[in-house]
Each structure stands twice: as C-alpha cells, then as structure tokens.
Amino acid sequence: APGAGHSLPSSTRQEQFAAAWPAVKKRLVPFFSSESLQSLDDIVEWIVVSERIKMIQNCVEEKRYTLVHGDFHMGNMLLPTEIEGDVDRRPWLVDWSFSGIGNPSVDLVFFMAMNDITAQDTERILRLYYSVVKERSQLSWNDFLTMFRQCLLNQFIILVCYDSLCRTMADSSSDERMVEVQHAHFDRVNTRCAQMILLYNYNNGNILPIA
C-alpha cells in the first residue's frame, strides 16, 4: 500500500503497538490533560482487541480510489518565491517514492499530522478536500468522514509502532541540536495525530464506528 510506513504488516503492528504505546504516551503527557490521556488509553485498548488492527488496515487499503503521494508534507513541496508575469504559481510536489494507487484520505491525514494545523483549520481543510472528492465521486460526507477516521487510526498505529525506531535514528546524529529538533518534531506529529483522533474518533467516552 502506498504511504510511508504503510507496508508494515498487520501482524507486526499487532506485536509492536501495545508495547510501544507507554513510551509514546509518556512523551505526550505535557500536551494533554489527564482526562484526555485516559481517553487515549481507552482508544488504544479498543484498537488492540482481537483482529482490530488488521481490520483497520484492511479498511484503509481496500479503498484504492486515487493516486496517493504517500509522503505528503510541506518539506516535499516546492513553492514559488517570485511573481513575474506569466510565471507558473502552482506548487510542485516532489519525492514520489512512496506513491501508488490508494485511499484518498491517506495523504490528507498525513498532511494534517505532519504540519502545524489548528483544529479550526483542520475542519476547513476537511471540507475543502471533500468538495474536491465529491466532484469526482458519489461519496457522501458521512462515508468520507468514516474513511478519514479509518486512516487516522491507521496512521496513529504506524506512528506509535515506528516511534522508537525514528528516535533511535535521530539519536545517531552527532549534532545535539539536530537530535533535539527531531525529537520535538516527533512529539508534535504524535500530538497532532492524537488530537485529531480525540476530535474525530471519540465522543463522550465512545469510539465512533469506523465501518
């Protein structure tokens, strides 16, 4: 399946996710209330039940509707810096090494997790993205939200599973400042993904349906 980290088999995710969560949660403590952290614990417990990790992965991968970049963030965009006459003002998207045909919400979730986006802007981006999807499909808003929730959970699982590896790779640098920057980046990405899950996948102590 296209997307950074999406090739991780469900069996490996099942083995690693619950074990990796405590360390990830510890780094999230400064960014969440105790109530929100408990809600995240509830979501994690729900995810690891039975074959649910595999089900979530299958829900995402079976919706192969469009071209997916797979590593969609601002660092892979070339933005024009000057305005001169007929200069093409469109941004250029580079590094297609994780691309393929896949779920249209994969890039959306990855972009919102990887970039500094407020809760208000998240809703606006969702609406704008759906308006484009709707022009090219018969997908309802509710079905689109369900796809978005599925991809959110899938991305959360991937981030938790890869967190230790990413930090170990960052620690191998001799530049202490760069190591600090990388760890702060991982914290921001995990925080934003967890915030979106609490906003879109959780309501009054209940996990919203994803199928």
Side-chain angles (χ1 to χ4, degrees):
H6 282 248
S7 61
L8 191 67
S10 59
S11 57
T12 305
R13 299 182 191 198
Q14 192 75 44
E15 292 173 4
Q16 295 181 355
F17 178 71
W21 169 242
V24 174
K25 178 187 173 183
K26 184 176 180 179
R27 296 192 66 99
L28 293 177
V29 168
F31 309 103
F32 291 93
S33 67
S34 57
E35 181 181 354
S36 292
L37 288 169
Q38 181 58 57
S39 296
L40 288 170
D41 276 336
D42 294 342
I43 293 169
V44 168
E45 289 180 10
W46 177 85
I47 288 173
V48 299
V49 169
S50 187
E51 296 283 306
R52 195 161 278 148
I53 285 180
K54 183 177 181 179
M55 182 194 74
I56 292 168
Q57 184 176 6
N58 288 343
C59 284
V60 172
E61 293 182 355
E62 69 187 9
K63 297 175 177 64
R64 298 168 57 84
Y65 297 155
T66 189
L67 178 64
V68 172
H69 180 271
D71 197 14
F72 188 43
H73 59 87
M74 293 301 295
N76 279 332
M77 291 185 184
L78 300 180
L79 305 175
T81 58
E82 298 180 2
I83 301 177
E84 293 183 5
D86 295 328
V87 172
D88 190 342
R89 299 292 298 162
R90 294 174 298 178
W92 289 83
L93 190 58
V94 298
D95 187 2
W96 290 79
S97 57
F98 292 107
S99 64
I101 301 301
N103 190 310
S105 289
V106 166
D107 278 343
L108 176 63
V109 167
F110 194 80
F111 180 83
M112 291 198 288
M114 291 291 291
N115 298 288
D116 291 315
I117 297 174
T118 65
Q120 183 178 2
D121 285 340
T122 296
E123 183 66 23
R124 186 168 63 90
I125 291 170
L126 268 177
R127 294 285 178 178
L128 287 171
Y129 200 87
Y130 174 66
S131 69
V132 175
V133 170
K134 188 178 179 181
E135 289 177 0
R136 294 161 173 78
S137 71
Q138 300 298 316
L139 200 65
S140 69
W141 171 249
N142 286 338
D143 287 343
F144 173 74
L145 274 184
T146 297
M147 286 174 54
F148 178 72
R149 293 188 188 109
Q150 292 166 350
C151 286
L152 255 182
L153 289 171
N154 196 53
Q155 186 64 56
F156 180 65
I157 293 165
I158 291 170
L159 287 174
V160 171
C161 288
Y162 274 104
D163 187 74
S164 177
L165 175 61
C166 290
R167 294 183 190 276
T168 299
M169 292 173 64
D171 289 341
S172 66
S173 172
S174 59
D175 186 337
E176 292 184 5
R177 174 56 182 161
M178 182 56 66
V179 171
E180 182 180 336
V181 168
Q182 285 293 309
H183 279 283
H185 168 69
F186 300 144
D187 289 340
R188 288 195 302 272
V189 171
N190 291 343
T191 297
R192 284 193 292 269
C193 193
Q195 287 172 337
M196 287 192 293
I197 282 179
L198 290 175
L199 185 61
Y200 290 100
N201 290 75
Y202 199 74
N203 184 34
N204 295 324
N206 297 310
I207 297 165
L208 298 177
I210 60 164

